[in-house]
Amino acid sequence: MNTQVAIIGAGPSGLLLGQLLHNAGIKTVILERQTPEYVLGRIRAGILENGTVELLREAGVSRRMDAEGLIHHGVEFLFSGQRIPVPLSELTHGKSVMVYGQTEVTRDLMEARQSSGAPTIYGVEQVQLHSLKSDKPSVTFMHNGEQCKIECDFVAGCDGFHGVSRQSIPREILREYESVWPFGWLGLLSDTPPVNPELIYAHHERGFVLCSQRSLTRSRYYLQVPLTDKVEQWTDERFWNELKCRLPDELGQKLVTGHSLEKSIAPLRSYVVEPMQYGRMFLVGDAAHIVPPTGAKGLNLAVSDVNYLWRILRQYYHNGRTDLLSQYSQLALNRVWKGERFSWFMTHLLHDFQSKSAFDKKMQEADRQYYLGSRAGLTTIAENYVGLPYETVE
Ligand code: FAS
Ligand code: PHB
């Protein structure tokens, strides 16, 4: 089998890259180790940056998002019972974010892929990447008990943090940067109306809370929990009672509780690998970087990488621009590191750390007063939250 770009992974990175390349007449094959149902069963991100919304529209997969997604012009912070609005659109000259779950984005991309007729092979095993430093790399894999091989021009490693692509780069080439956070987030999804029209990021002495949503009838809540907690220890009743403890009465009284559709604990990690390419293989999304969800950047940084890679590959195939190929890693990393910083900043702002020194706790308090108490501080938060602009690929 031959193709132009072999894409490993049919998560949002792989599917969006495949769609954009297909629209540009560039042949792709997507290899995915799970089933479509398994991929759709993962409950993850909920907030789309301005740039993500625009790119999904450019890819031609935004009809349902534009019909069902909720445009949000602000978010709220909550400290010591005080609610602090962050008027995103007012502070960013009209930009906003879209509430539309990653599951729905993935579903829309899967349907578009199927309609395009471009091949996606689910249930692959033993994927291996070969000759990445040559101008004819290849991918071998097992499927239905048969050994298969794809020869291609390029490989896009869209296979997430535990994928094979990053592992295919010689360790001596890679520089890894990592910070593991000393707590997790317990998330719950329920078919209950959101407690508040806007998202609420709440600091509380018992632990951080995030009140998010998927629609006007489906809510997503998160509680900071110790890393030693197991989701089995958290009944729905315990979750709702703890959430009420951490919210002010005015919100707790409005909270509609219900059966959890999904409940899970995610550990928090900040991670970046450099470079994000090796020969003719490009790392995309979680294969190259991870952020704590506090800044709502994970999915959006994956889309950021896709934005740069597809434009570079389109220039290569349409205009013979080989010079841009070597620019992918730096272009992607320039924006990834700003997303890492914002996610790190938001996590430090909103969570208490036993390990912080008395001085560092004073610095944290000063940050909270400055960033949430000044227009300049709120503007900084707003422009990062809606998404920083993309550099032009030229
Ligand atoms: P993905 O991990 O989504 O997709 C990679 C795909 O590659 C998977 O389908 C996998 O099965 C496949 N794959 C792996 N190895 C393979 C192999 N060897 N061969 C073939 N296929 C292979 N982000 C936010 O913005 N907000 C959130 O609230 C948020 N919550 C999260 C909660 C959890 C528990 C996790 C794990 C992540 C969360 N994220 C969140 C981040 C998440 O949304 C990712 O950023 C996003 O899924 C990245 O998309 P991909 O890069 O496509 O990686
Ligand atoms: C979510 O709705 O899952 C969500 C929203 C904002 C975040 C993290 C997660 O910062």
Side-chain angles (χ1 to χ4, degrees):
M1 196 187 312
N2 286 293
T3 193
Q4 290 172 304
V5 183
I7 298 174
I8 319 297
S13 296
L15 289 166
L16 179 55
L17 179 63
Q19 186 62 25
L20 288 160
L21 293 176
H22 174 78
N23 292 348
I26 298 164
K27 292 187 183 65
T28 62
V29 176
I30 300 180
L31 302 179
E32 167 57 52
R33 70 177 170 191
Q34 303 292 357
T35 62
E37 297 72 24
Y38 183 94
V39 175
L40 286 172
R42 293 189 292 229
I43 305 300
R44 292 187 171 168
I47 301 297
L48 306 183
E49 276 181 0
N50 192 62
T52 297
V53 169
E54 292 307 319
L55 194 59
L56 290 170
R57 287 176 179 150
E58 189 170 356
V61 297
S62 64
R63 185 191 53 75
R64 199 160 66 94
M65 176 189 74
D66 285 324
E68 298 174 14
L70 301 173
I71 295 177
H72 278 214
H73 297 285
V75 292
E76 280 191 39
F77 283 77
L78 202 158
F79 275 85
S80 309
Q82 188 199 350
R83 295 174 66 171
I84 304 152
V86 185
L88 298 173
S89 301
E90 178 193 320
L91 295 170
T92 62
H93 310 296
K95 287 187 180 176
S96 57
V97 293
M98 175 86 79
V99 170
Y100 190 68
Q102 175 173 326
T103 303
E104 304 319 314
V105 172
T106 306
R107 195 190 316 278
D108 296 341
L109 286 165
M110 279 181 179
E111 286 171 8
R113 180 76 179 176
Q114 191 152 18
S115 308
S116 75
T120 305
I121 305 174
Y122 287 94
V124 300
E125 298 173 295
Q126 300 171 35
V127 171
Q128 291 187 332
L129 313 183
H130 308 278
S131 311
L132 295 176
K133 297 290 271 186
S134 77
D135 59 5
K136 269 295 168 209
S138 63
V139 181
T140 57
F141 59 97
M142 292 297 288
H143 188 241
N144 294 337
E146 272 192 45
Q147 177 75 23
C148 307
K149 180 174 183 179
I150 297 176
E151 296 194 332
C152 51
D153 298 333
F154 300 102
V155 177
C158 302
D159 48 351
F161 188 67
H162 302 290
V164 66
S165 299
R166 190 176 68 251
Q167 314 301 338
S168 302
I169 303 177
R171 288 201 66 76
E172 63 272 17
I173 302 271
L174 290 180
R175 296 182 300 281
E176 295 182 290
Y177 304 86
E178 184 170 38
S179 176
V180 177
W181 298 87
F183 39 72
W185 277 20
L186 166 64
L188 180 143
L189 188 72
S190 58
D191 273 340
T192 56
V195 72
N196 191 55
E198 302 291 14
L199 269 65
I200 298 178
Y201 290 81
H203 168 267
H204 190 278
E205 60 191 14
R206 293 173 68 98
F208 168 79
V209 171
L210 172 58
C211 301
S212 184
Q213 52 191 265
R214 291 291 178 272
S215 69
L216 296 178
T217 59
R218 179 165 286 192
S219 298
R220 178 76 169 162
Y221 294 101
Y222 293 93
L223 297 176
Q224 173 191 344
V225 293
L227 279 175
T228 49
D229 272 19
K230 300 281 179 270
V231 69
E232 296 75 26
Q233 296 167 304
W234 284 88
T235 62
D236 289 5
E237 184 186 12
R238 183 185 174 198
F239 183 95
W240 294 120
N241 289 339
E242 183 61 28
L243 180 58
K244 281 180 185 167
C245 278
R246 299 185 189 183
L247 291 176
D249 290 347
E250 57 168 321
L251 286 169
Q253 284 155 14
K254 284 197 295 188
L255 181 68
V256 177
T257 66
H259 170 64
S260 59
L261 303 172
E262 189 268 354
K263 202 164 43 180
S264 55
I265 295 179
L268 272 58
R269 180 200 310 267
S270 299
Y271 174 89
V272 179
V273 72
E274 293 187 356
M276 285 178 54
Q277 66 189 96
Y278 177 69
R280 288 192 165 223
M281 193 267 286
F282 304 97
L283 294 178
V284 182
D286 276 20
H289 42 75
I290 298 286
V291 285
T294 332
K297 289 298 163 212
L299 172 61
N300 293 297
L301 287 177
V303 171
S304 180
D305 298 344
V306 170
N307 171 67
Y308 289 119
L309 184 54
W310 95 272
R311 294 184 195 284
I312 287 170
L313 291 173
R314 183 178 59 170
Q315 285 280 19
Y316 171 82
Y317 282 109
H318 290 189
N319 304 315
R321 292 287 305 275
T322 56
D323 59 308
L324 293 172
L325 294 172
S326 61
Q327 295 179 30
Y328 165 73
S329 181
Q330 198 53 61
L331 271 171
L333 283 167
N334 288 346
R335 199 164 183 278
V336 162
W337 276 115
K338 295 186 184 77
E340 288 282 345
R341 184 210 69 83
F342 180 63
S343 305
W344 172 90
F345 162 80
M346 286 278 279
T347 308
H348 268 286
L349 198 72
L350 287 154
H351 297 74
D352 288 339
F353 296 75
Q354 303 315 325
S355 61
K356 273 190 188 292
S357 67
F359 180 83
D360 287 347
K361 284 178 182 170
K362 284 293 183 186
M363 289 298 97
Q364 183 184 44
E365 188 45 44
D367 266 352
R368 289 168 177 170
Q369 287 185 22
Y370 169 69
Y371 281 100
L372 301 175
S374 72
R375 189 172 176 81
L378 290 173
T379 302
T380 296
I381 290 171
E383 63 182 23
N384 280 277
Y385 196 85
V386 300
L388 298 176
Y390 289 120
E391 289 179 68
T392 307
V393 174
E394 49 197 352

